Amino acid sequence: MLFRSFALGAAFLILPILLAWLYVPTAFSAHYADAGNQAKIQQVLNREVAQALYEKAVRWDPRYPEPHWKLGDLSRSQAVWMMALSPDKAAEGRRLAGVAAAHYQRALDLNPYSTEVLLRQGAALELLGQPDRALANYERAVALSPANAYNHNVLGRFYRKQGDEKRALEHLERAQVLNHWSDISTELNLIEMKHPEPAPAPPR
């Protein structure tokens, strides 16, 4: 009887400690991820602040996917800017796109069913000049969530960039059926594809 009482008391003592050990790192990680999101908005020209907060979130709980893909977003946005700026910055842009793809992959290792992260990694892979891998991401996102209009929108726009208008129309029309009001880019792409502007007359 005494042993049973001791065991019960020990359990009541250990259980809160165990729960705190499991919960506290995730709570701090979520806190710093949220702080990073706010810093990203408030300090657009100083991305280092948001990056430091996301990295702190990862250190608190490396199993929490959000700060990994938010770090990917920071690197990808920088890559887009670098590659658009000038040919001299293209190599650095590709390097940053590779960094972004790696961050996204860490998030996907933790949650392979996140269609949002699949789409973001696909965009980074496009910047890296790897359309086949990007396509695999986009198709997986559609397969995982076929009722999500945005997944079809992204895949349709990708096919359009690749010159596959038949598949582009299929997915863009599906996106419009699923959610006509959410994304005007679907309708604009469909209008441009179905009613292309006539080619300019040759000079006389």
Side-chain angles (χ1 to χ4, degrees):
M1 186 70 178
L2 182 62
F3 174 76
R4 187 176 296 175
S5 298
F6 175 79
L8 188 61
F12 277 116
L13 181 65
I14 292 170
L15 186 60
I17 296 172
L18 180 61
L19 290 174
W21 180 76
L22 292 171
Y23 174 74
V24 168
T26 302
F28 272 101
S29 183
H31 165 73
Y32 285 114
D34 185 61
N37 294 340
Q38 294 180 40
K40 184 178 174 182
I41 296 169
Q42 293 169 358
Q43 303 198 43
V44 177
L45 299 179
N46 188 6
R47 295 298 179 92
E48 289 80 6
V49 175
Q51 181 171 337
L53 289 165
Y54 291 140
E55 288 172 348
K56 198 167 186 177
V58 169
R59 287 195 296 273
W60 268 104
D61 187 359
R63 297 168 300 173
Y64 183 41
E66 183 179 345
H68 291 289
W69 63 264
K70 289 301 180 73
L71 283 167
D73 283 351
L74 288 178
S75 293
R76 180 166 60 92
S77 64
Q78 288 178 299
V80 171
W81 180 77
M82 288 279 185
M83 295 174 81
L85 190 62
S86 71
D88 296 342
K89 302 288 185 181
E92 176 62 10
R94 282 191 295 272
R95 185 191 71 78
L96 288 166
V99 171
H103 282 303
Y104 292 134
Q105 188 58 51
R106 283 193 282 276
L108 287 169
D109 290 341
L110 294 164
N111 180 11
Y113 302 104
S114 174
T115 59
E116 183 176 9
V117 179
L118 282 166
L119 298 182
R120 290 165 187 262
Q121 188 186 50
L125 293 169
E126 284 194 68
L127 292 173
L128 285 168
Q130 299 178 16
D132 291 344
R133 291 182 63 196
L135 175 59
N137 273 42
Y138 300 148
E139 288 181 331
R140 177 165 170 74
V142 168
L144 285 170
S145 186
N148 186 315
Y150 188 65
N151 294 342
H152 288 280
N153 176 293
V154 172
L155 182 54
R157 286 188 285 118
F158 173 82
Y159 276 130
R160 188 181 180 196
K161 282 186 286 185
Q162 298 299 309
D164 190 338
E165 294 211 353
K166 181 180 177 181
R167 286 194 174 95
L169 276 172
E170 175 187 339
H171 287 284
L172 289 169
E173 287 174 343
R174 184 60 182 157
Q176 191 176 47
V177 168
L178 288 167
N179 195 342
H180 179 71
W181 304 104
S182 67
D183 191 342
I184 195 171
S185 69
T186 297
E187 190 167 357
L188 290 175
N189 274 273
L190 285 171
I191 290 171
E192 290 173 358
M193 293 179 72
K194 292 180 177 180
H195 306 285
E197 292 185 4
R204 294 181 180 179

